[in-house]
Amino acid sequence: MAEPLLRIEAAEVFYGASQILFGIDLEVEKGQTMALLGRNGAGKSTTFKAIAGIAPPKRGQVILAGKAVTGQPPYRIAKAGIGYVPEDRQVFPEHTVDDNLIVGAKKGPCGEDYWNTKRIYDVFPLLAGMKTRMAGRLSGGEQQMLTLARTLMGNPDIVLLDEPSEGLAPIIVQAIGELIRTLRNMGVTIILAEQNMHFCLGIATHAAIVDKGQIVYRATIDDLRHNEAIKQRYLAV
Ligand SMILES: Nc1ncnc2c1ncn2[C@@H]1O[C@H](COP(=O)(O)OP(=O)(O)OP(=O)(O)O)[C@@H](O)[C@H]1O
Ligand SMILES: [Mg+2]
């Protein structure tokens, strides 16, 4: 069987003495958009931090394209091809949109150079209209788009996108949803951590649910859509 692009195997993460992840198992194939769902505090962000090397697993493995990256520092994991967009969407506020993108520019792990500012502005027309604006002046939703765009500028193999819809007005949430759908259709591999299942239904191809630091469900998004028992039990919808 072909190796998945990303495989997390029995990952256990601790913050000090308290264990947060109790053996996360997850596989993502190239081209999938995987919704990582779960309630507040379930362990979605911690799973991303484990993958990105910010909260390295004490036990278990993170394997990218067949190679273990477990325990490597975050910059190396980024260089290996994992693009991470954290919850707090940090931009460089005193720099322009254009400069924020250029800061993120690098070739992918195998020399990929698909993403550049021109391509970004084609796919993110909203940003194209504000190239010279200071990033600190953008709305929350625009900053969310900018951090996603900056991450793509690094030509990653996979993008970890943490709660892109959180705290944003419905109209901008919809715009971000459409953007992610466009990226999916372009073949970008994405894990989308969300509390908001409805946001993911029209976007993701697959779904995994994390609960109390473990993956309790894995299926296609269509399976989840029709699985009332699972939704009731883990997502409170
Ligand atoms: N730095 C930390 N130190 C100690 N405990 C933490 C830390 N960060 C998170 N936790 C705890 O780890 C658990 C999982 O948190 P995590 O942020 O991964 O959840 P989440 O699924 O992303 O939730 P949300 O939907 O609210 O973002 C929570 O109980 C949280 O309180
Ligand atoms: Mg979180």
Side-chain angles (χ1 to χ4, degrees):
M1 220 176 72
E3 183 72 21
L5 178 58
L6 181 69
R7 187 146 57 94
I8 297 118
E9 242 176 47
E12 296 185 30
V13 169
F14 292 70
Y15 287 128
S18 60
Q19 185 163 9
I20 306 296
L21 300 185
F22 294 84
I24 292 279
D25 291 296
L26 194 64
E27 293 188 355
V28 183
E29 310 274 350
K30 194 171 174 347
Q32 286 183 346
T33 297
M34 168 85 64
L36 183 63
L37 294 157
R39 295 191 184 103
N40 185 344
K44 302 179 296 295
S45 297
T46 305
T47 299
F48 278 0
K49 287 176 191 165
I51 299 169
I54 291 155
K58 188 165 177 181
R59 285 186 279 272
Q61 294 285 346
V62 177
I63 298 158
L64 180 66
K67 282 190 203 135
V69 294
T70 333
Q72 292 186 13
Y75 79 91
R76 274 191 172 274
I77 292 179
K79 219 168 164 176
I82 292 177
Y84 170 47
V85 185
E87 266 170 314
D88 55 4
R89 31 182 112 122
Q90 289 187 4
V91 297
F92 298 101
E94 305 292 326
H95 292 269
T96 64
V97 165
D98 210 50
D99 284 345
N100 268 269
L101 290 176
I102 290 165
V103 164
K106 68 177 171 62
K107 289 193 175 165
C110 300
E112 300 91 338
D113 59 0
Y114 181 82
W115 291 103
N116 49 43
T117 50
K118 183 186 176 307
R119 187 94 62 179
I120 290 288
Y121 291 134
D122 285 345
V123 176
F124 297 70
L126 194 83
L127 295 180
M130 31 184 89
K131 289 179 194 178
T132 59
R133 195 174 301 179
M134 292 298 150
R137 292 290 180 105
L138 303 188
S139 72
E142 291 159 356
Q143 291 188 2
Q144 177 67 54
M145 289 185 190
L146 181 56
T147 48
L148 170 57
R150 188 180 59 206
T151 301
L152 289 169
M153 286 287 288
N155 289 285
D157 287 337
I158 182 166
V159 176
L160 315 179
L161 191 50
D162 201 353
E163 302 233 30
S165 80
E166 198 192 8
L168 300 177
I171 180 106
I172 191 91
V173 169
Q174 202 183 335
I176 288 173
E178 268 158 34
L179 249 176
I180 300 170
R181 208 163 20 235
T182 301
L183 296 173
R184 176 197 73 194
N185 292 340
M186 293 172 78
V188 179
T189 311
I190 301 167
I191 311 182
L192 176 61
E194 271 292 339
Q195 280 191 48
N196 181 350
M197 180 199 63
H198 293 287
F199 176 74
C200 297
L201 284 180
I203 297 176
T205 57
H206 293 76
I209 297 177
V210 55
D211 190 61
K212 302 191 183 89
Q214 285 186 308
I215 300 289
V216 292
Y217 171 85
R218 268 174 302 202
T220 63
I221 198 76
D222 279 329
D223 188 276
L224 178 64
R225 194 193 310 272
H226 300 114
N227 199 327
E228 295 306 325
I230 286 287
K231 286 192 268 191
Q232 292 267 336
R233 181 156 174 203
Y234 295 114
L235 302 176
V237 285

